[in-house]
Amino acid sequence: MPLVIVSGLPTSGKSTRSKQLYDYLEKRIVDSKYRLHLISDESLSISRTVYDLSPDKLPAHTRSANASEKDARAALYGAVKRVLSDKDIVILDGLNYIKGWRYQLHCEAKAMRTPSCILQIGCGVDRAKGVNEERLRRREATGNKSEEESEGATDNSPNVDTAEPYEPGNWDNLVFRYEEPNPMTRWDSPLFTLIWEDDEPQTTKVFSDLWDAIAGETRKVIRPNQATVQRGREASGDYLYVLDRETSDIVKRIVEAQREGDDVDEVRIPSGSGDLTVQLPAGKKVGLPQLQRLRRAFMGLNRGGIGLEAVGDMRAARLRETFVTYLNDTFEKDE
């Protein structure tokens, strides 16, 4: 099942929308074999200070300015990879502001043969900044109270926003570094957008469209890139081994046939589809050095078949036929 990557400015409402999407999908997968996961910085206990690249905030002996941020992304990537499968829906709630990071997640989903999409949370910079400033004021006010007063305020206001704020410099830096998703790129499509003002009916409609695109009956079939598919081995060996074995056998048969008689014009080569015939130059003996040079040249031309052992044209019988044709063409040109 798909990977839903939630992206947007800091404090733009991503966690709220992610929880709404989680509740919506939870109802859609009732009595089904699918499982639902919500992964976020909060679920992995990742502090928002890891995204702060201010020099005065870095601890001593830090290997690089963004070392903590890289470690956080590694933790998120590992959590996604552990649960991502064709039976799991994964919602990744986070900044996801780097297009290279979104591309990495897209490739991981594609390798698992499951679709991915982007849910962008649209919010104005001023509004998002106001949310962060309000959280900063609330944190400062809470810090000035005693522990008992703080607990009492929490009990009286169960729905209060308790999310951790960003430091002002950190927030400005994250907004500056944010790379908006581009639906023209394959790793940012399909792209769905929810803005701050969207009400419940509009939100439900977007969630429904998202479900139809990546989990509905009309969703696209995802196939991994051939470069990422682990190729198997034939019982008779891999491609280079088969190529070397078949060409060596043909060279050996030609040499032995010429050794048995002085005037040999053709050599029969057994093959799965019937005997093949090598037409030797009339009145001329082809030595082993020349045959070995031709064999090496043929192997150099056909090394590109690595990984295509399962394709019909790359099996042993086809390689024998191709090499015999190559030899016949070469001998014909030499006459």
Side-chain angles (χ1 to χ4, degrees), residues 240-252 254 287-303 323 326-327 330-331:
L240 286 180
Y241 172 76
V242 174
L243 179 64
D244 180 77
R245 182 192 64 194
E246 298 302 324
T247 53
S248 296
D249 180 68
I250 293 175
V251 169
K252 180 181 178 182
I254 295 174
L288 178 60
Q290 181 181 358
L291 290 172
Q292 291 287 22
R293 284 196 299 271
L294 294 175
R295 187 179 79 90
R296 287 193 295 269
F298 177 79
M299 291 184 63
L301 293 172
N302 290 273
R303 288 181 182 274
F323 185 47
Y326 175 80
L327 291 176
T330 303
F331 294 150

Side-chain angles (χ1 to χ4, degrees), residues 34-48:
Y34 301 120
R35 299 179 291 263
L36 185 60
H37 308 272
L38 175 59
I39 299 175
S40 64
D41 290 346
E42 183 179 359
S43 66
L44 299 179
S45 300
I46 298 175
S47 173
R48 293 182 173 179

Side-chain angles (χ1 to χ4, degrees), residues 160 191-192 197 212 220 239 304:
V160 69
L191 175 64
F192 302 91
E197 293 80 7
D212 292 338
K220 295 182 179 180
Y239 176 77

Side-chain angles (χ1 to χ4, degrees), residues 48-324:
R48 293 182 173 179
T49 58
V50 301
Y51 302 104
D52 196 346
L53 305 183
S54 303
D56 56 332
K57 299 295 180 62
L58 295 177
H61 310 295
T62 302
R63 65 179 185 273
S64 65
N66 59 345
S68 59
E69 184 179 358
K70 290 180 179 178
D71 293 340
R73 283 202 298 270
L76 289 169
Y77 181 74
V80 170
K81 191 172 182 178
R82 279 192 294 271
V83 298
L84 189 61
S85 72
D86 58 348
K87 296 182 180 179
D88 293 87
I89 302 177
V90 182
I91 303 173
L92 179 58
D93 170 28
L95 291 173
N96 301 318
Y97 60 93
I98 301 175
K99 61 183 178 182
W101 164 244
R102 296 195 297 267
Y103 174 73
Q104 182 180 3
L105 294 171
H106 164 80
C107 292
E108 182 62 34
K110 189 172 184 179
M112 297 298 296
R113 293 181 171 85
T114 186
S116 64
C117 73
I118 303 294
L119 176 60
Q120 184 180 14
I121 309 303
C123 179
V125 176
D126 294 337
R127 184 187 292 272
K129 189 172 185 178
V131 173
N132 190 63
E133 290 175 348
E134 177 62 28
R135 291 176 180 175
L136 287 170
R137 287 193 294 268
R138 186 181 299 112
R139 185 183 65 178
E140 183 178 357
T142 303
N144 294 332
K145 295 180 181 179
S146 63
E147 183 176 356
E148 294 181 359
E149 292 175 344
S150 178
E151 292 178 356
T154 303
D155 293 338
N156 295 331
S157 305
N159 296 324
V160 69
D161 183 8
T162 58
E164 182 184 1
Y166 295 91
E167 294 298 328
N170 186 19
W171 190 92
D172 292 336
N173 186 29
L174 289 173
V175 172
F176 177 76
R177 295 160 58 195
Y178 181 66
E179 298 173 338
E180 287 196 16
N182 180 6
M184 300 298 292
T185 59
R186 62 183 182 277
W187 57 87
D188 284 338
S189 62
L191 175 64
F192 302 91
T193 303
L194 279 174
I195 62 175
W196 185 281
E197 293 80 7
D198 282 343
D199 54 9
E200 184 176 353
Q202 177 63 21
T203 301
T204 303
K205 181 181 182 302
V206 172
F207 289 165
S208 178
D209 293 341
L210 185 150
W211 171 270
D212 292 338
I214 61 177
E217 296 180 356
T218 59
R219 72 171 185 173
K220 295 182 179 180
V221 178
I222 305 299
R223 295 183 176 86
N225 293 328
Q226 289 297 321
T228 63
V229 177
Q230 185 176 6
R231 63 187 181 93
R233 294 175 63 93
E234 285 189 341
S236 57
D238 62 14
Y239 176 77
L240 286 180
Y241 172 76
V242 174
L243 179 64
D244 180 77
R245 182 192 64 194
E246 298 302 324
T247 53
S248 296
D249 180 68
I250 293 175
V251 169
K252 180 181 178 182
R253 291 178 182 275
I254 295 174
V255 172
E256 291 178 350
Q258 292 184 115
R259 189 179 300 161
E260 294 175 357
D262 295 334
D263 190 12
V264 179
D265 294 334
E266 60 181 33
V267 179
R268 296 286 180 178
I269 306 296
S271 178
S273 58
D275 289 348
L276 304 172
T277 302
V278 178
Q279 301 290 341
L280 299 177
K284 182 179 179 182
K285 189 173 183 179
V286 182
L288 178 60
Q290 181 181 358
L291 290 172
Q292 291 287 22
R293 284 196 299 271
L294 294 175
R295 187 179 79 90
R296 287 193 295 269
F298 177 79
M299 291 184 63
L301 293 172
N302 290 273
R303 288 181 182 274
I306 297 175
L308 301 177
E309 294 88 340
V311 181
D313 288 348
M314 292 299 174
R315 292 190 178 275
R318 178 58 178 168
L319 289 175
R320 295 174 75 89
E321 180 182 350
T322 306
F323 185 47
V324 169

